Amino acid sequence: MASKPEVRLTDQQRFDWLRLVRSENVGPRTFRALVTNFGGARAALNALPGLARRGGASREIRVASVEEIEKELIAARKLGVRFIALGEPDYPPALWQIDSAPPVLALRGHAEALHKAAVAIVGSRNASAAGLTFAERLARGLGQAGYVIVSGLARGIDQRAHLASLETGAVGVLAGGHGKPYPGDAVPLMERMVESGAILSEMPIEWEPRGRDFPRRNRIVSGLALGVVVVEAARGSGSLITARFALDQNRQVFAVPGSPLDPRAEGTNDLLKQGASICTGPDDVLTALEPVRSSDDLAALREAGGEPGEPLWGEQALYGVDPESTPRTQPGDEFEDMSGAPYRSGGEAQAARERIIALLGPSPITLDELARAAEAPARAVRVALLELELAGRVEYSGDRVALRAIAD
Amino acid sequence: MASKPEVRLTDQQRFDWLRLVRSENVGPRTFRALVTNFGGARAALNALPGLARRGGASREIRVASVEEIEKELIAARKLGVRFIALGEPDYPPALWQIDSAPPVLALRGHAEALHKAAVAIVGSRNASAAGLTFAERLARGLGQAGYVIVSGLARGIDQRAHLASLETGAVGVLAGGHGKPYPGDAVPLMERMVESGAILSEMPIEWEPRGRDFPRRNRIVSGLALGVVVVEAARGSGSLITARFALDQNRQVFAVPGSPLDPRAEGTNDLLKQGASICTGPDDVLTALEPVRSSDDLAALREAGGEPGEPLWGEQALYGVDPESTPRTQPGDEFEDMSGAPYRSGGEAQAARERIIALLGPSPITLDELARAAEAPARAVRVALLELELAGRVEYSGDRVALRAIAD
């Protein structure tokens, strides 16, 4: 396969990416919109305060400080953590494909483990003995067949799957930062995992994980994998969220059947009713995934990207954006607000913003519906939404957007 | 619904049907071919010896004697058993639809139970506690929803399903005769079942069931039902044979999931992989069967049949055969061999028989393939096969026929 020149961020760009991604109200979607609109993280950082203000923020948006990021970099070095930006060669190609791919991943361990075909194995924390044994056999069988096993480091099924794949490739995803490894009892396991596998986090190094970080993390677990196997899951459990993400990400979902009288099988049996593939052993997964694994999709993805040495073009190229088709600043451009070229706001965007606020309600509607109803140019809608999002006034779920009940 | 005149056999016809069905090498398929070809059982009985001889039987075919049938009728009366011929009003309409519907059923209990929509629940003899509990809940739930529960009276899942449906409608099918109820430990259960439900058998009253009678019996269990639920089944178990019959009979197959580590779930999990519907409770079955149950198919079937008082026409009509289109004897016709009218054999059939013998081998081929290869008129092929079957030289599996390795 012809190898294309690789896109890597400069140290300064990486620093700016971290600052941008650690700033208030900047999620993966907003990050992408900012970088593609402004041509790079530096310009976006400069634009942030003005954007949020014009979106109606009740107070100044919190932009991550240089000191904060310097501190994180020092902590990372101590822990052996390095940062990979979306689109860089080390970034896991499968994860790159998902809508809300983290702009920056903090990695402990070996990036090679992120480039082999992977299967996620997830399940209950309070797993049954049979569930644990099954998870172990499955992880071992898939590992021997060349798959890396991804999971969420939780007690029960997750940890058993990690343990059984230590020698063949184990990847864990934290809900918090590397400096606050959770759960604590998994620390010795994590130390063994990084010897040949990897631990990933998208959160600031010293981030203590809260409840809502776990479902968010689960999109990375499924996004890293070609398929997700749910071994045991009660109704409403986190493993089902992972399965839901997997479906949204066009990953294959497998469920392990169980007795209808076992509450730990209710979730997996439900998945089977909803069309998940039944998994009673590694062969079911191998048979189903072999065509995906052998396709050139992942390889093709690696071929994308722009030329090195053109930092701003490069930053857009990481997202697969053609810089010629995107209004962007020139290298070195800095501006305090959005009134100047090349980002033209003013009356058009202002009008769009007001129409959008009037159109939005607490029920999510699709961006398409919104754009049609707003009768404004697509770019004006995009910018207005970006401003509103940075101001914390709208929130997304998938490709739907709604007014935030209470701005926080 | 307009009620059509019902077809009932006269006592003499019923006697002849029993004699014919109890004669050597006369299975449901041959029985049907004989009655439709000869217009009635009496004529078929007279023709049997000649047919078998011309088919190449090595010895005289055993035709059930008048004494034998008289004895069976006396035994039946003592046990409270009565006989229902295929197509008579009491015959279970769902069973009538299957290819190998028993020409005569021996019934203990209430025919009404055979006319309500039914679900078969089958499974392991050495069931798990969870499997038994599930079978009980399922039978109770489906019973309360108005379904009769059919099963095979075996220890484990079968008996538990019967027990849980005693009050709502329980139907059991014996592998042997009513005079040799098997398994013996189910006799008290059977006594309770006949109070409002039914026990059926197609075998002679005093028949001691042998191994091969059980799979054969299973086609009746599935044939009586709109759907079959397999609760627990090891690989290669009898419940899977019932599921196979159900598929062949266009019945819906449900399987209860179980842990991949439980050998009793291997069969049901395999069924799920092959496309069976997952069943974790009565609702899954109710939802799937409601459209079938509410259709008029069964009612329409009941409307079929000829006029009473025309015995031979009536016997054909029970099979839905138009007597005008079928060569048949006249009422009262009797003949010793097949050389005379109206059944014309001779050179044409003889030639067909020889070609067929030459074409057949130990591997089953379809009747269509055989008829094409034989290049003989369809009727000649049919008669030749009938003769060969009565001579014990060919055997059927589904719609395929093969030479019997060793005539028995």
Side-chain angles (χ1 to χ4, degrees):
Chain A
M1 224 168 297
S3 72
K4 256 194 141 183
E6 289 172 341
V7 183
R8 281 185 197 275
L9 296 182
T10 64
D11 284 349
Q12 180 60 50
Q13 282 176 322
R14 196 182 313 277
F15 194 95
D16 292 337
W17 273 51
L18 262 179
R19 268 189 82 194
L20 185 57
V21 82
R22 301 288 187 243
S23 294
E24 190 179 14
N25 291 337
V26 179
R29 171 193 303 270
T30 318
F31 188 98
R32 181 194 177 116
L34 287 166
V35 166
T36 55
N37 266 295
F38 292 92
R42 167 64 61 95
L45 279 166
N46 292 334
L48 271 190
L51 288 166
R53 207 178 306 128
R54 290 150 56 85
S58 52
R59 52 170 176 75
E60 196 75 358
I61 191 171
R62 200 190 61 75
V63 177
S65 68
V66 170
E67 297 68 31
E68 185 183 334
I69 301 304
E70 280 172 347
K71 219 171 125 189
E72 181 165 1
L73 289 176
I74 291 165
R77 203 167 305 127
K78 274 191 194 152
L79 292 169
V81 167
R82 65 189 183 88
F83 296 96
I84 308 172
L86 187 145
E88 290 194 304
D90 281 344
Y91 199 91
L95 187 62
W96 192 358
Q97 295 177 310
I98 75 170
D99 271 349
S100 57
V104 181
L105 284 173
L107 163 74
R108 262 191 83 202
H110 299 267
E112 296 73 35
L114 309 176
H115 288 265
K116 287 164 79 178
V119 173
I121 298 179
V122 299
S124 307
R125 279 189 295 275
N126 67 335
S128 70
L132 291 171
T133 302
F134 184 82
E136 181 174 328
R137 287 192 195 171
L138 185 66
R140 187 153 290 141
L142 294 173
Q144 282 161 358
Y147 283 89
V148 160
I149 303 301
V150 184
S151 197
L153 299 159
R155 290 183 193 93
I157 300 294
D158 288 19
Q159 290 185 8
R160 187 64 70 98
H162 288 312
L163 200 61
S165 57
L166 280 175
E167 287 169 23
T168 50
V171 172
V173 187
L174 290 162
H178 283 285
K180 300 276 190 268
Y182 182 91
D185 63 4
V187 169
L189 172 64
M190 294 185 210
E191 293 307 316
R192 295 178 66 191
M193 288 172 69
V194 297
E195 284 171 20
S196 61
I199 309 280
L200 293 173
S201 162
E202 66 173 330
M203 304 306 279
I205 289 259
E206 298 299 338
W207 189 266
E208 191 86 58
R210 303 152 306 164
R212 73 177 191 197
D213 297 326
F214 291 89
R216 180 184 158 137
R217 179 270 316 266
N218 291 353
R219 84 187 195 286
I220 305 179
V221 171
S222 56
L224 286 166
L226 302 182
V228 173
V229 186
V230 185
V231 176
E232 280 186 341
R235 289 214 173 99
S237 66
S239 306
L240 300 181
I241 296 172
T242 312
R244 161 62 47 199
F245 278 125
L247 281 178
D248 290 345
Q249 295 163 356
N250 285 319
R251 307 301 200 243
Q252 192 135 2
V253 177
F254 302 85
V256 178
S259 164
L261 301 184
D262 183 351
R264 284 170 293 214
E266 282 179 354
T268 52
N269 288 341
D270 283 351
L271 286 174
L272 292 175
K273 288 184 192 177
Q274 291 153 22
S277 303
I278 184 168
C279 169
T280 60
D283 283 349
D284 296 319
V285 179
L286 295 175
T287 307
L289 292 187
E290 211 44 53
V292 187
R293 182 195 202 183
S294 59
S295 82
D296 282 335
D297 291 357
L298 297 184
L301 253 182
R302 294 292 315 281
E303 301 294 309
E307 300 290 321
E310 295 179 285
L312 288 175
W313 282 45
E315 283 181 81
Q316 290 179 320
L318 293 180
Y319 277 109
V321 173
D322 175 5
E324 295 304 333
S325 71
T326 310
R328 59 185 181 92
T329 63
Q330 294 304 310
D333 273 1
E334 288 196 4
F335 40 83
E336 285 301 307
D337 65 44
M338 306 312 325
S339 60
Y343 175 78
R344 302 187 195 287
S345 185
E348 188 185 67
Q350 167 90 33
R353 202 163 51 234
E354 280 163 16
R355 266 203 297 283
I356 284 166
I357 288 279
L359 288 165
L360 280 175
S363 305
I365 62 168
T366 67
L367 293 179
D368 279 354
E369 287 164 355
L370 183 63
R372 269 199 306 275
E375 291 178 346
R379 175 161 157 76
V381 172
R382 216 160 54 224
V383 169
L385 280 173
L386 185 54
E387 292 167 344
L388 292 169
E389 197 177 0
L390 286 169
R393 294 176 67 191
V394 297
E395 61 186 350
Y396 287 86
S397 57
D399 66 340
R400 289 163 174 272
V401 64
L403 220 49
R404 247 206 169 103
I406 300 155
D408 54 10
Chain B
M1 223 168 297
S3 72
K4 254 193 142 181
E6 289 172 340
V7 183
R8 280 185 197 276
L9 296 182
T10 64
D11 284 350
Q12 180 59 50
Q13 282 175 324
R14 194 181 315 275
F15 194 94
D16 292 338
W17 274 51
L18 263 180
R19 267 190 82 192
L20 185 57
V21 84
R22 300 288 187 243
S23 294
E24 191 179 11
N25 291 337
V26 179
R29 172 193 298 272
T30 319
F31 188 98
R32 181 193 177 116
L34 286 166
V35 166
T36 53
N37 266 295
F38 292 93
R42 167 63 62 93
L45 280 167
N46 291 335
L48 271 191
L51 288 165
R53 208 176 306 128
R54 289 151 56 87
S58 53
R59 53 171 176 72
E60 196 74 357
I61 191 172
R62 201 190 62 73
V63 177
S65 68
V66 169
E67 296 70 31
E68 186 182 334
I69 301 305
E70 280 172 347
K71 221 171 125 188
E72 182 165 3
L73 289 176
I74 291 164
R77 202 167 307 128
K78 274 190 193 152
L79 292 168
V81 167
R82 64 188 182 89
F83 296 96
I84 308 171
L86 187 146
E88 289 195 304
D90 281 344
Y91 199 92
L95 188 62
W96 191 0
Q97 295 176 309
I98 75 169
D99 271 350
S100 57
V104 181
L105 285 173
L107 163 74
R108 263 191 81 201
H110 299 266
E112 295 73 37
L114 308 176
H115 289 265
K116 287 164 77 179
V119 173
I121 299 179
V122 298
S124 307
R125 278 189 296 275
N126 66 334
S128 71
L132 291 171
T133 302
F134 184 83
E136 181 174 327
R137 287 191 195 170
L138 184 67
R140 187 153 291 142
L142 294 173
Q144 282 161 357
Y147 282 89
V148 161
I149 303 300
V150 185
S151 197
L153 299 159
R155 288 183 194 94
I157 300 294
D158 288 19
Q159 291 185 7
R160 187 64 71 99
H162 288 312
L163 200 61
S165 57
L166 280 175
E167 287 169 24
T168 50
V171 172
V173 187
L174 291 162
H178 283 285
K180 300 274 191 269
Y182 182 91
D185 63 4
V187 168
L189 172 65
M190 294 185 211
E191 293 308 315
R192 296 177 66 190
M193 288 170 70
V194 297
E195 285 171 22
S196 61
I199 308 280
L200 293 174
S201 161
E202 66 171 331
M203 304 305 278
I205 289 258
E206 297 299 337
W207 188 267
E208 191 87 58
R210 304 152 304 166
R212 72 177 192 195
D213 297 326
F214 291 89
R216 180 184 158 136
R217 179 272 314 269
N218 290 354
R219 84 186 195 288
I220 305 179
V221 171
S222 56
L224 286 164
L226 302 182
V228 173
V229 186
V230 185
V231 176
E232 280 186 340
R235 290 215 172 100
S237 67
S239 306
L240 299 181
I241 296 173
T242 311
R244 160 62 46 198
F245 278 126
L247 282 178
D248 290 345
Q249 296 163 357
N250 286 318
R251 307 304 199 240
Q252 192 135 4
V253 178
F254 302 85
V256 178
S259 163
L261 300 185
D262 183 351
R264 284 170 293 214
E266 283 180 352
T268 52
N269 287 340
D270 282 351
L271 286 174
L272 292 174
K273 288 183 191 177
Q274 291 153 22
S277 303
I278 184 168
C279 169
T280 61
D283 284 349
D284 296 319
V285 179
L286 295 174
T287 308
L289 292 188
E290 211 44 53
V292 187
R293 183 195 201 181
S294 58
S295 81
D296 283 333
D297 291 357
L298 296 183
L301 253 181
R302 294 291 315 282
E303 301 293 310
E307 301 290 319
E310 293 177 286
L312 288 173
W313 284 43
E315 286 183 73
Q316 289 178 321
L318 293 180
Y319 277 109
V321 174
D322 175 5
E324 295 306 332
S325 72
T326 311
R328 59 186 181 91
T329 63
Q330 294 304 310
D333 272 3
E334 287 194 7
F335 40 84
E336 286 300 308
D337 64 47
M338 306 312 323
S339 60
Y343 174 75
R344 299 183 199 288
S345 184
E348 187 185 69
Q350 166 90 30
R353 201 162 52 234
E354 280 163 15
R355 267 202 298 282
I356 285 166
I357 289 279
L359 287 165
L360 281 175
S363 306
I365 62 168
T366 67
L367 293 179
D368 278 354
E369 286 163 354
L370 182 63
R372 269 200 303 278
E375 292 178 345
R379 174 161 156 76
V381 172
R382 215 160 57 224
V383 169
L385 281 172
L386 185 54
E387 292 168 344
L388 292 168
E389 197 177 359
L390 286 169
R393 294 175 68 190
V394 297
E395 61 186 350
Y396 287 86
S397 57
D399 67 338
R400 289 164 175 272
V401 63
L403 220 50
R404 247 206 168 104
I406 299 155
D408 55 9

